[in-house]
Amino acid sequence: MADIFVSYASEDRARVAPLVAVFKQRGWSVWWDRELAIGPSFDEKIEAALQAARCVVVVWSRHSTGKRWVRAEATDGLERDVLVPLLIDDVRPPLVFRSSQSAQLIGWPEHAGEIDAVISAVSRLISGSMIDVVPEPPVEQTLNSVAVLPFVNLGADPDQEYFADGITEDLIDRLGKHTSLRVIARTSCFYFKNRAEDVRSIGRRLGVSHIVEGSVRRIGNRIRVTAQLVRSRDGGREWSERFDREIDDVFAIQDEISSEVTRQLTHRLVHELPAYRPQRQAYDLFLKGQAWLRRVSFQGSTRSREFFHQALEIDPGYAEAHVAMAKAYMNERLFSYAHTREALKLAADHVDRALALNSDLGPALLQRAVVVAQQDCNIQSAIDQLRLVQKQMSSRYEVLDAAATIFDYAGRPDLVEAIAKEIVQIDPVGITGYLLLQVAQMSQGKLEDAKLAIESLLAIEPKHDLTLANMADLLARQGKIAEALDVIDRHGLHAHGQACFVYAAARRPRAIEEMVSSLRRRSGLRVFLTHAYALLGNVDGVLESLSEAIENRDPSLSHFTGKGIYHNCVNVLGERLEQIYSGKPVQSLLGQIGFDREAIDALII
């Protein structure tokens, strides 16, 4: 039987066909044939395919929401916890299914929407629960360590899920302000959302002594929040409380929970410092924007900005909303290489506005440090600002993430590696730490260590394209050319920049030339175009594309600072790229923005 059962309305068959093609390109088998001959075995065949499928994809549209069989098939997927719902029209799913977040593919197939999120969800189900493959325990359990699990939305409206998530994220941030606590990062906490796993097991996996869990019920202008602090050792409850308040008291509730949890864990009375209280409607919009931003996609970032913009129209003094806008623009730079410099300027503008409202706002100061490194190319100033701001930040994770970016620009993979290892400790089932480890260790020639980091991430996200591409690159560096090419072919990674390095190791200049033609037609991606020219030994092409990358402030310019990740790779002429990148023409170009070897070596870290 098939891996995936696709439930849809027959009127949408032409729109569903491209979706099925995407699944099949990934090597998954799909059951979606609604043209079976009607007869005694019709229902039996559908039932058998549905029950055998490891994943049920339901396509909600203006046609399917009213179809009895689509609802029945979606119910089966929901009950077996294998449902992946998506929207191809701007409609609301039937009420019973609204508690399941639907991926937005409105306008499909003309607009791809959140197809990456769909592929990721399907991949997790087909490869088996990620919980089963995460090493247990990933970190040693320590005292005064805590994870805040996503608060459950008990309200009648499933669309209020973002509000419960926002309260959870705020609590993580507030607890993170106390240096006496080790607080697990949001990514790993939200990993366990909607998973029926015992708190003792979660505590072991996250390496924490305590778990905070709770629920939120919002009715009109009233809110009820319950919270409890549980020992992960034995599941015993150490503290619990219920808060029935007006919705405007949500910040006071968060303060009380944070203070009490901290007191219980440290035996010290903690008073929360007064903070800016945004207008209620602005805060609500801010939480909606944060929910979109957490999706870590181009569409998620652009959609989040709409809510942040509305929040700022209502409450112009909301500095945190400006910081969130800056983060959204910085995310867009990673997912859309077109107009990267414009996005960087807009991010810098929102950072400046946030600091004009609150000059001591830690997240804004941290974002400014990152912007200074990427927009102004002033790495020393970014390092200095990072050193000053880290004590003002409540989130250790955010400090480490920014530090990794800045030290990557500073050409210090050794420091990035140390930072990545700490990120893994506080975000053990997130992908960021392992992704940083891969690049840092490959840059230092630690191929076996990098292989372990790659395997750890693939255990969490088996179809993570960038990591699979890094695996192919690593295999090529180890001389395992046939295996590297197999990874590229099997996972359809031919358009990834790393494929160029595999083709160079395999002595396939024609394949690199084809990639050059493809990259020249695309806006952005000039750093990888530079690498492609270098792999062909075309220095003129290197200088032309590198100039464009510098002009656009390409997010990957750090490849050329210090001894970058690809400097040891060999081109089709047998030259190490280090010979080209250390040459006077390239160093002269990099010197225009302070990225030349002499300037990097002079940094004070």
Side-chain angles (χ1 to χ4, degrees):
M1 285 294 181
D3 295 320
I4 305 169
F5 183 100
V6 181
S7 179
Y8 66 101
S10 57
E11 294 91 336
D12 298 319
R13 184 178 180 84
R15 297 177 68 188
V16 172
L19 180 66
V20 172
V22 169
F23 292 152
K24 288 183 175 179
Q25 287 169 5
R26 296 260 165 177
W28 299 324
S29 55
V30 185
W31 194 99
W32 73 299
D33 196 347
R34 289 237 169 258
E35 297 182 351
L36 288 171
I38 300 296
S41 63
F42 181 74
D43 287 341
E44 287 84 351
K45 288 182 179 180
I46 292 178
E47 180 71 17
L50 181 61
Q51 291 300 315
R54 287 183 284 175
C55 173
V56 176
V57 174
V58 61
V59 182
W60 295 122
S61 71
R62 58 191 179 88
H63 301 295
S64 66
T65 52
K67 301 293 186 182
R68 174 186 52 79
W69 69 81
V70 175
R71 293 185 179 216
E73 291 160 358
T75 298
D76 181 88
L78 186 64
E79 290 175 347
R80 292 196 290 124
D81 200 24
V82 295
L83 181 66
V84 177
L86 59 91
L87 298 171
I88 60 173
D89 290 328
D90 190 9
V91 296
R92 300 186 76 186
L95 182 61
V96 70
F97 302 108
R98 291 179 196 166
S99 60
S100 299
Q101 182 68 47
S102 296
Q104 304 283 322
L105 274 74
I106 296 172
W108 173 271
E110 288 78 13
H111 301 285
E114 295 178 326
I115 185 63
D116 289 342
V118 174
I119 291 171
S120 177
V122 171
S123 173
R124 285 196 294 270
L125 290 170
I126 290 178
S127 63
S129 171
M130 292 195 296
I131 295 294
D132 294 334
V133 296
V134 176
E136 179 183 353
V139 292
E140 181 182 354
Q141 195 174 97
T142 58
L143 295 175
N144 291 350
S145 52
V146 64
V148 183
L149 298 186
F151 276 37
V152 178
N153 172 37
L154 297 181
D157 185 359
D159 290 342
Q160 290 292 316
E161 192 85 9
Y162 74 90
F163 190 77
D165 288 348
I167 287 180
T168 306
E169 192 160 2
D170 279 352
L171 277 174
I172 294 171
D173 185 62
R174 288 163 190 260
L175 288 170
K177 294 177 182 178
H178 305 298
T179 56
S180 55
L181 295 178
R182 183 172 73 85
V183 182
I184 295 298
R186 185 202 64 79
T187 309
S188 286
C189 292
F190 274 73
Y191 175 85
F192 294 95
K193 183 175 180 177
N194 297 328
R195 295 181 182 273
E197 184 153 353
D198 186 79
V199 292
R200 291 169 294 183
S201 174
I202 295 174
R204 286 195 301 271
R205 294 181 187 280
L206 297 180
V208 294
S209 61
H210 291 78
I211 299 286
V212 176
E213 56 184 1
S215 62
V216 179
R217 185 188 298 273
R218 182 177 177 181
I219 304 175
N221 290 327
R222 299 288 298 177
I223 183 174
R224 171 178 291 177
V225 178
T226 62
Q228 60 181 4
L229 179 67
V230 180
R231 291 188 303 273
S232 57
R233 180 183 70 252
D234 56 12
R237 183 187 303 173
E238 292 197 355
W239 167 83
S240 66
E241 187 64 77
R242 188 179 80 179
F243 304 86
D244 286 292
R245 305 279 181 82
E246 295 288 332
I247 189 69
D248 290 336
D249 291 333
V250 64
F251 301 110
I253 294 173
Q254 291 169 343
D255 286 344
E256 290 181 40
I257 296 173
S258 173
S259 296
E260 186 59 30
V261 168
T262 305
R263 189 183 71 80
Q264 290 287 336
L265 295 179
T266 66
H267 306 291
R268 292 204 304 265
L269 183 61
V270 177
H271 296 286
E272 295 288 340
L273 296 174
Y276 182 79
R277 301 295 196 228
Q279 295 182 32
R280 190 185 73 193
Q281 189 178 357
Y283 178 65
D284 202 60
L285 289 163
F286 175 80
L287 293 184
K288 289 180 179 178
Q290 290 284 63
W292 278 98
L293 191 58
R294 281 193 295 268
R295 299 188 183 195
V296 194
S297 66
F298 180 73
Q299 185 185 26
S301 297
T302 54
R303 188 81 173 93
S304 73
R305 287 196 288 103
E306 297 176 18
F307 290 106
F308 297 143
H309 178 73
Q310 293 174 47
L312 287 166
E313 285 188 325
I314 294 169
D315 191 346
Y318 200 172
E320 286 83 355
H322 280 297
V323 177
M325 284 281 273
K327 289 180 180 179
Y329 279 120
M330 294 299 277
N331 276 2
E332 287 178 33
R333 278 169 48 79
L334 300 177
F335 294 107
S336 174
Y337 286 90
H339 313 300
T340 57
R341 189 161 190 176
E342 179 184 354
L344 193 54
K345 288 179 179 178
L346 291 167
D349 180 60
H350 281 285
V351 168
D352 289 341
R353 294 186 191 186
L355 290 172
L357 293 166
N358 183 352
S359 60
D360 295 323
L361 187 62
L365 292 168
L366 196 63
Q367 282 296 309
R368 185 173 68 178
V370 175
V371 167
V372 163
Q374 297 190 14
Q375 177 177 260
D376 303 338
C377 300
N378 191 335
I379 302 172
Q380 185 64 66
S381 178
I383 293 170
D384 295 341
Q385 290 184 42
L386 178 67
R387 188 179 294 114
L388 292 172
V389 73
Q390 59 180 328
K391 294 182 179 179
Q392 297 173 253
M393 285 296 297
S394 60
S395 170
R396 178 67 176 162
Y397 176 89
E398 288 190 43
V399 172
L400 292 170
D401 191 32
T405 299
I406 292 169
F407 288 136
D408 186 32
Y409 269 76
R412 291 295 302 272
D414 56 327
L415 295 179
V416 175
E417 180 182 11
I419 289 167
K421 288 178 178 178
E422 188 173 348
I423 288 177
V424 168
Q425 288 293 308
I426 63 176
D427 193 16
V429 289
I431 67 172
T432 301
Y434 295 111
L435 201 55
L436 289 169
L437 273 177
Q438 296 169 31
V439 177
Q441 290 168 339
M442 288 174 70
S443 297
Q444 299 172 83
K446 298 180 178 180
L447 300 187
E448 287 303 317
D449 290 340
K451 181 182 177 183
L452 181 60
I454 287 171
E455 290 172 345
S456 296
L457 195 154
L458 290 177
I460 298 168
E461 187 65 69
K463 298 292 184 179
H464 193 265
D465 281 358
L466 180 55
T467 297
L468 288 168
N470 282 341
M471 173 63 88
D473 180 17
L474 184 145
L475 289 168
R477 294 179 191 225
Q478 293 178 321
K480 301 174 182 178
I481 309 301
E483 292 180 45
L485 289 168
D486 179 64
V487 171
I488 295 292
D489 293 337
R490 187 155 34 93
H491 297 284
L493 303 173
H494 307 90
H496 272 261
Q498 287 88 337
C500 281
F501 299 94
V502 176
Y503 295 146
R507 295 296 188 267
R508 293 187 179 181
R510 180 67 60 85
I512 302 174
E513 289 169 356
E514 290 176 359
M515 287 199 69
V516 166
S517 298
S518 174
L519 289 168
R520 284 186 64 86
R521 290 193 297 269
R522 297 168 64 184
S523 179
L525 291 171
R526 283 326 190 228
V527 161
F528 279 100
L529 179 60
T530 300
H531 291 319
Y533 278 127
L535 290 168
L536 292 170
N538 184 339
V539 177
D540 289 339
V542 166
L543 297 176
E544 179 186 354
S545 54
L546 180 56
S547 295
E548 294 177 14
I550 290 172
E551 175 63 26
N552 292 327
R553 296 297 190 266
D554 192 298
S556 299
L557 274 175
S558 58
H559 287 192
F560 303 105
T561 57
K563 192 173 182 179
I565 182 173
Y566 299 114
H567 281 45
N568 280 329
C569 293
V570 177
N571 67 15
V572 295
L573 303 178
E575 303 171 312
R576 286 174 59 241
L577 299 195
E578 167 78 6
Q579 295 175 248
I580 296 175
Y581 295 153
S582 295
K584 188 174 180 179
V586 170
Q587 287 296 303
S588 178
L589 265 182
L590 294 173
Q592 295 175 11
I593 55 171
F595 276 15
D596 57 300
R597 185 66 53 82
E598 184 177 346
I600 296 299
D601 289 344
L603 291 173
I604 301 172
I605 299 177

